[in-house]
Amino acid sequence: MIFIGERINGGFKDIKRAIQEKDKSIIQHWAKIQTEAGADYLDVNMGAASNKVDDFIWMIEAVQETVETPISIDSNKLAFIESAIKVCKHPPIINSTTADKEKLDQLIPVAVEHNASLIGLCMDKKGAPQDVNQRVELGATIFSEAIDKGLSPDQIFLDPVTMPLKFLQPQAYHLIEAVRQFTLLSSPPPHIIVGLSNISSKASEMKLINRVFLIMCIEAGLDATICDVTDEELLNSAITTEIILNKHIYSDSYIKAYRESRRK
Ligand code: THG
């Protein structure tokens, strides 16, 4: 599993305040906590806290002063991604492109040039998909464009777009079926990722919904998630799901073994 820490996001009040007051310590606290919890990447997203590219660079540099964990550059603005990628010390993930031709034409070459990975959101100008086939079609478009222009399957992350269970209940099942079909796109397949916390937005049983949804997605073929990496039960559930699917060798201390094998 590839775990991407979601917490350095201007949607959280403490991060928003940190950006506006230029208080590095809060950003660095979450960089450290998430890295210690096992994050493979740290998602950095400004949310609505600012619209200045300098503030975004400041966030990334604050993270990189503290930890060596690579960055997931979470922005829908080309200019932000292009500036951010230049300061990344390790090959980042670009989060994200959509299936729109102009976005693909802009972002795939940026990923190729910087040896970065690229998340492709399975949506386009017409909006978010409403069924399995729309998701698969958009995913296939992103995948084939990225391969044609020089990315390897291992650098491509397809994101079938997670919507809140509370408001769009049928979408969760459509998404899981789309994940299953993405695994058939190629051999080896691309990575498949979700922004996990979207599923439980505004719900009362957030942690339970996140955990069960993640387990079901992993069973269908998911191998990456942007999530609350500090939720130890969540990560242990994901690792256990992979053990049950025979993706790692069982031992009584498999959780410890898994975590130690990934310690940087
Ligand atoms: N796919 C990709 N990138 C993404 C997403 C995705 N990036 C952003 C988002 N979705 C993933 N990150 C988060 C971070 C936080 C929350 C949800 C997704 C979250 N926040 C609380 C809420 O909305 O209730 C509120 C924050 C607070 O407590 O103040 O749940 O899908 N590629």
Side-chain angles (χ1 to χ4, degrees):
M1 235 9 232
I2 298 171
F3 294 108
I4 303 177
E6 72 180 7
R7 194 55 178 74
I8 303 178
N9 185 315
F12 291 94
K13 284 199 188 79
D14 59 345
I15 301 293
K16 182 174 180 184
R17 196 177 56 75
I19 297 166
Q20 290 172 345
E21 295 174 8
K22 284 290 166 338
D23 179 358
K24 275 186 194 176
S25 67
I26 293 165
I27 311 264
Q28 293 178 334
H29 164 79
W30 282 110
K32 235 180 267 168
I33 295 269
Q34 293 186 104
T35 298
E36 282 162 11
D40 300 291
Y41 291 85
L42 298 174
D43 194 69
V44 177
N45 179 320
M46 228 162 25
S50 160
N51 54 19
K52 295 201 196 86
V53 70
D54 290 353
D55 290 344
F56 195 46
I57 302 300
W58 172 84
M59 287 174 86
I60 291 170
E61 286 181 333
V63 171
Q64 294 189 141
E65 282 168 19
T66 313
V67 296
E68 295 294 325
T69 316
I71 305 289
S72 157
I73 304 170
D74 194 348
S75 171
N76 56 15
K77 296 198 187 87
L78 176 66
F80 279 43
I81 292 169
E82 282 178 327
S83 301
I85 207 163
K86 290 189 187 125
V87 303
C88 285
K89 285 204 276 180
H90 306 287
I93 299 183
I94 297 174
N95 184 11
S96 53
T97 181
T98 61
D100 290 309
K101 187 172 180 339
E102 65 199 62
K103 281 223 119 180
L104 292 168
D105 287 349
Q106 287 167 343
L107 285 168
I108 295 168
V110 177
V112 170
E113 182 188 343
H114 293 272
N115 192 29
S117 297
L118 178 63
I119 298 179
L121 283 180
C122 296
M123 56 187 288
D124 61 14
K125 284 206 190 82
K126 286 177 255 157
Q130 298 299 314
D131 64 20
V132 180
N133 286 343
Q134 283 176 3
R135 285 184 165 85
V136 174
E137 234 171 78
L138 294 164
T141 301
I142 293 167
F143 181 75
S144 63
E145 279 292 309
I147 292 289
D148 283 353
K149 298 215 168 82
L151 289 178
S152 65
D154 190 47
Q155 290 175 296
I156 303 166
F157 290 71
L158 294 183
D159 183 332
V161 185
T162 307
M163 298 169 195
L165 186 69
K166 178 167 178 166
F167 305 113
L168 292 161
Q169 194 177 348
Q171 294 306 320
Y173 179 73
H174 292 322
L175 181 148
I176 291 166
E177 289 312 301
V179 169
R180 216 177 285 291
Q181 295 194 30
F182 288 161
T183 65
L184 306 172
L185 275 174
S186 73
S187 182
H191 294 293
I192 307 172
I193 187 167
V194 291
L196 186 66
S197 300
N198 298 9
I199 192 71
S200 61
S201 186
K202 307 281 185 286
S204 58
E205 297 285 355
M206 293 175 94
K207 284 196 170 182
L208 180 60
I209 294 169
N210 289 343
R211 193 189 323 166
V212 174
F213 184 62
L214 181 60
I215 292 168
M216 293 178 77
C217 288
I218 294 170
E219 189 281 323
L222 190 94
D223 70 345
T225 182
I226 304 168
C227 69
D228 175 5
V229 295
T230 68
D231 181 347
E232 197 178 338
E233 281 297 305
L234 178 71
L235 268 60
N236 288 347
S237 300
I239 296 161
T240 303
T241 307
E242 289 197 330
I243 285 279
I244 291 169
L245 294 171
N246 201 26
K247 291 185 195 279
H248 315 288
I249 295 168
Y250 180 86
S251 73
D252 283 344
S253 54
Y254 69 86
I255 288 178
K256 193 164 162 263
Y258 179 91
R259 287 176 175 276
E260 276 174 7
S261 75
R262 316 263 265 168
R263 201 167 285 283
K264 286 167 282 267

